[in-house]
Amino acid sequence: MCASGDTIRNIMLAAHRQGMTNGDYAFFNIELFNSSSYGNGSWRRGDKHDLEAKKAYSYLQTVTLLRTVKPEFEKFSLEVKSSVQKQGLHEDDYANMFVEGFHDAILLYALALQEVLKIGFSKKDGEKIVQQTRNRTYEGIAGPVSIDANGDRYGDFSVIGMTDPEAGTQEVIGDYFGKEGRFEIRPNVKYPWSHGRLRLDDSRVSEHTNNTPCKSSGGLGESAVTGIVVGALLGAGLLMAFYFFRKKYRITIERRTQQEDCNMGKHRQLREDSIRSHFSAA
């Protein structure tokens, strides 16, 4: 799921009332804004549904951006907050992923420009500057930033889960490091799916009984490929229907125009004949 906090809460409440929070299902939410309020218990609203929400959220895992606790980042956050408030704005999360990303992008440009100037090029050599931004790792405002050969940033993410269902405490339970492609469980945290809370239904696990290698679908599941094919067929059908409708509609318009032109011509001829007859009589 990827939606606002209130929408996620409503979905989890509905799932809980449908009996889907008993261990048969796991729910994942994507929250890339790294809001500081989430870890304090976003299920809590102070209303009559808090108890239900707390139980429902015990099966919700939230994927968010990895944020390290660095003194530089804390100082940066305070400076951003002060600057925003001077403009008369008040937001819940001042130093979100966009602000952090802009900071690290400017820093990357400055590092690349400095290196290009050292080897004798100028600030107008954009291609050289772009080359210096790729395949490198540098220290950003919140931690190490790694850029691949295409100029894309490797994503580092954290997973937040409820480690204490009684108190409703939510903590980071693990981190994914994009450059290394590894996921690490954080030490000294209670994994939310331990003690048999999440069950695996063996009847839903299918095994291949033959030795025929599966055809690759480019990393897409069977249902995804089917959806793409069906969508393509529907799109083609709609385009064909639109084409024939437009063609028929154009033919109808042309026929109607020709008929109107013909009627106007006859009407004009009748008027001219009538005028001639009147002049002849005069």
Side-chain angles (χ1 to χ4, degrees):
M1 300 176 288
C2 184
S4 65
D6 290 337
T7 301
I8 296 297
R9 187 173 187 262
N10 291 334
I11 293 174
M12 293 307 300
L13 284 171
H16 180 70
R17 292 161 186 166
Q18 292 294 323
M20 299 175 67
T21 55
N22 57 5
D24 290 332
Y25 301 90
F27 299 85
F28 289 89
N29 172 37
I30 300 174
E31 174 56 77
L32 297 182
F33 286 95
N34 243 337
S35 176
S36 59
S37 61
Y38 190 94
N40 297 330
S42 66
W43 54 266
R44 185 180 288 111
R45 296 292 188 277
D47 57 20
K48 61 181 181 180
H49 304 301
D50 269 359
L51 183 59
E52 282 185 294
K54 183 173 68 172
K55 293 179 180 178
Y57 271 55
S58 64
Y59 288 93
L60 175 67
Q61 326 302 318
T62 296
V63 179
T64 186
L65 292 176
L66 174 66
R67 176 177 291 180
T68 57
V69 181
K70 293 178 56 180
E72 294 87 352
F73 182 78
E74 297 300 326
K75 181 181 178 182
F76 172 71
S77 299
L78 292 175
E79 291 176 351
V80 171
K81 181 178 180 179
S82 176
S83 177
V84 171
Q85 289 180 343
K86 287 180 180 178
Q87 302 297 325
L89 303 174
H90 298 279
E91 302 290 338
D92 294 333
D93 196 26
Y94 297 93
N96 56 39
M97 60 172 293
F98 298 108
V99 177
E100 178 185 331
F102 276 119
H103 176 280
D104 291 345
I106 294 298
L107 182 58
L108 175 62
Y109 171 75
L111 293 173
L113 177 61
Q114 186 180 27
E115 294 170 358
V116 166
L117 294 177
K118 282 184 178 180
I119 58 178
F121 293 93
S122 71
K123 63 181 180 181
K124 295 183 179 180
D125 294 310
E127 185 176 353
K128 294 294 182 181
I129 296 175
V130 170
Q131 291 177 359
Q132 292 300 115
T133 64
R134 298 176 176 178
N135 277 324
R136 65 180 303 159
T137 298
Y138 65 100
E139 193 66 22
I141 193 64
V145 177
S146 297
I147 309 296
D148 65 12
N150 296 320
D152 297 323
R153 178 174 178 171
Y154 286 100
D156 296 328
F157 304 95
S158 296
V159 178
I160 298 175
M162 186 175 289
T163 57
D164 188 347
E166 295 298 326
T169 305
Q170 293 168 285
E171 297 179 274
V172 175
I173 60 176
D175 301 298
Y176 174 79
F177 301 94
K179 186 177 181 180
E180 295 83 6
R182 58 185 172 88
F183 181 77
E184 291 184 356
I185 298 294
R186 290 200 177 184
N188 303 322
V189 296
K190 294 174 61 179
Y191 194 57
W193 292 345
S194 60
H195 307 298
R197 291 184 57 217
L198 181 68
R199 299 188 297 272
L200 178 63
D201 189 353
D202 294 333
S203 64
R204 299 183 184 180
V205 180
S206 60
E207 296 182 358
H208 293 284
T209 56
N210 55 24
N211 296 325
T212 304
C214 297
K215 294 182 179 180
S216 174
S217 59
L220 296 175
E222 182 178 353
S223 59
V225 175
T226 303
I228 293 173
V229 173
V230 172
L233 292 176
L234 289 175
L238 290 173
L239 287 175
M240 291 179 65
F242 176 77
Y243 170 77
F244 286 115
F245 172 80
R246 184 174 180 270
K247 185 176 181 181
K248 182 178 179 181
Y249 182 77
R250 184 177 61 185
I251 293 174
T252 303
I253 292 297
E254 289 176 354
R255 287 178 178 175
R256 185 176 299 174
T257 303
Q258 292 174 359
Q259 185 177 1
E260 290 176 355
D261 292 339
C262 182
N263 292 335
M264 290 179 65
K266 291 180 180 179
H267 181 67
R268 189 182 301 110
Q269 185 65 36
L270 288 173
R271 289 186 62 189
E272 290 177 357
D273 293 341
S274 177
I275 292 172
R276 291 194 187 98
S277 63
H278 282 297
F279 275 114
S280 299

